[in-house]
Amino acid sequence: MLTLYTMPGSCAFASHLALEYAKADYRLAWLDFRRTEQRSAEYLKINPKGRVPALVTPRGVLTETPAILQYIAQTHPAAKLAPLDDPFALADMNAFNSYLCSTVHVAHAHKTRGNRWVDDPAAIEAMRRKVPETMTACFQTIETEFFRGPWVMGEAFSVSDIYLFTITGWLAGDSVDVARFPKVAAHHAQLSADARVQKVQAEVKAVA
Ligand SMILES: N[C@@H](CCC(=O)N[C@@H](CS)C(=O)NCC(=O)O)C(=O)O
């Protein structure tokens, strides 16, 4: 049994959805953002970074979305969520996931988490204002350089599709119109119609 620590509206949605696609045996442990439970002494014992996701496995705790997604894919090979027998393709998939994690997610975080980097209110506001521009640049790169079609990595669906779906869902809140990126928009619409996505979205809505 796996336990995923998660919060509504967070990047942990990707790990939640991957567990669902993998048909994994899992339970959810919801943290309340409003009560900053992610920084409670109890949770910091699980993830000292004070962030979600954290996945409790029989071997220990995993954090960082790309690592969790690969773990879920590798431990549930029947779900075919990653090119497990092809080292180059697996690394290529992880390169995309790392881009989402270390560049796109960080660009988005400048909207509400500027105080991670600066204290000056004017600088925080300047960072917030820049988010539509940086998120547009990131998604333009995904649209023109990375997205192969019909899925992110080409013919085979992978956890990269789940992760991209999650972050694409943040665009409207970042004042970026997804319609500017036709391939990404079609991908988002297609996955939005998937019963597994709708089940996970309903679970998030029920606790939000
Ligand atoms: N690099 C980490 C980022 C994790 C992260 O920043 N999670 C956010 C939610 S999307 C969080 O827990 N924020 C809580 C906080 O900053 O207090 C990953 O991809 O898993």
Side-chain angles (χ1 to χ4, degrees):
M1 166 74 92
L2 300 165
T3 300
L4 178 70
Y5 282 82
T6 182
M7 293 189 288
S10 75
C11 62
F13 182 91
S15 299
H16 183 173
L17 194 52
L19 288 165
E20 194 61 33
Y21 268 78
K23 296 191 171 68
D25 182 17
Y26 72 97
R27 61 177 281 272
L28 299 169
W30 294 99
L31 298 181
D32 190 339
F33 247 178
R34 288 157 298 200
R35 294 168 52 203
T36 42
E37 282 179 351
Q38 72 272 25
R39 287 185 219 135
S40 68
E42 195 187 342
Y43 183 64
L44 290 176
K45 284 185 209 147
I46 292 158
N47 183 3
K49 290 179 267 193
R51 307 268 185 100
V52 294
L55 185 70
V56 183
T57 81
R59 292 270 304 272
V61 178
L62 286 171
T63 62
E64 299 299 328
T65 301
I68 291 173
L69 294 180
Q70 180 170 337
Y71 174 81
I72 293 168
Q74 283 195 305
T75 50
H76 300 81
K80 296 192 188 324
L81 294 174
L84 298 176
D85 52 3
D86 181 337
F88 181 86
L90 185 62
D92 204 22
M93 182 198 83
N94 278 323
F96 181 80
N97 292 348
S98 298
Y99 178 67
L100 292 183
C101 181
S102 62
T103 301
V104 189
H105 187 167
V106 173
H108 164 82
H110 283 204
K111 188 177 73 172
T112 53
R113 299 283 182 195
N115 59 359
R116 281 183 194 158
W117 296 281
V118 284
D119 294 319
D120 177 5
I124 289 175
E125 177 54 22
M127 287 167 78
R128 197 189 60 73
R129 273 201 311 272
K130 185 112 176 133
V131 169
E133 184 188 326
T134 50
M135 288 298 277
T136 297
C138 289
F139 270 80
Q140 194 58 58
T141 303
I142 291 169
E143 175 82 9
T144 55
E145 305 297 335
F146 296 153
F147 192 98
R148 293 183 182 147
W151 301 110
V152 175
M153 300 309 298
E155 292 302 321
F157 183 88
S158 72
V159 286
S160 292
D161 294 288
I162 288 172
Y163 199 6
L164 178 64
F165 177 82
T166 302
I167 295 197
T168 302
W170 298 345
L171 285 181
D174 289 346
S175 306
V176 178
D177 184 359
V178 71
R180 294 182 65 166
F181 318 108
K183 289 189 266 182
V184 173
H187 177 262
H188 198 72
Q190 185 176 355
L191 282 182
S192 294
D194 189 290
R196 293 160 288 190
V197 172
Q198 291 175 0
K199 173 178 183 275
V200 168
Q201 285 174 330
E203 284 170 358
V204 172
K205 204 168 163 202
V207 297

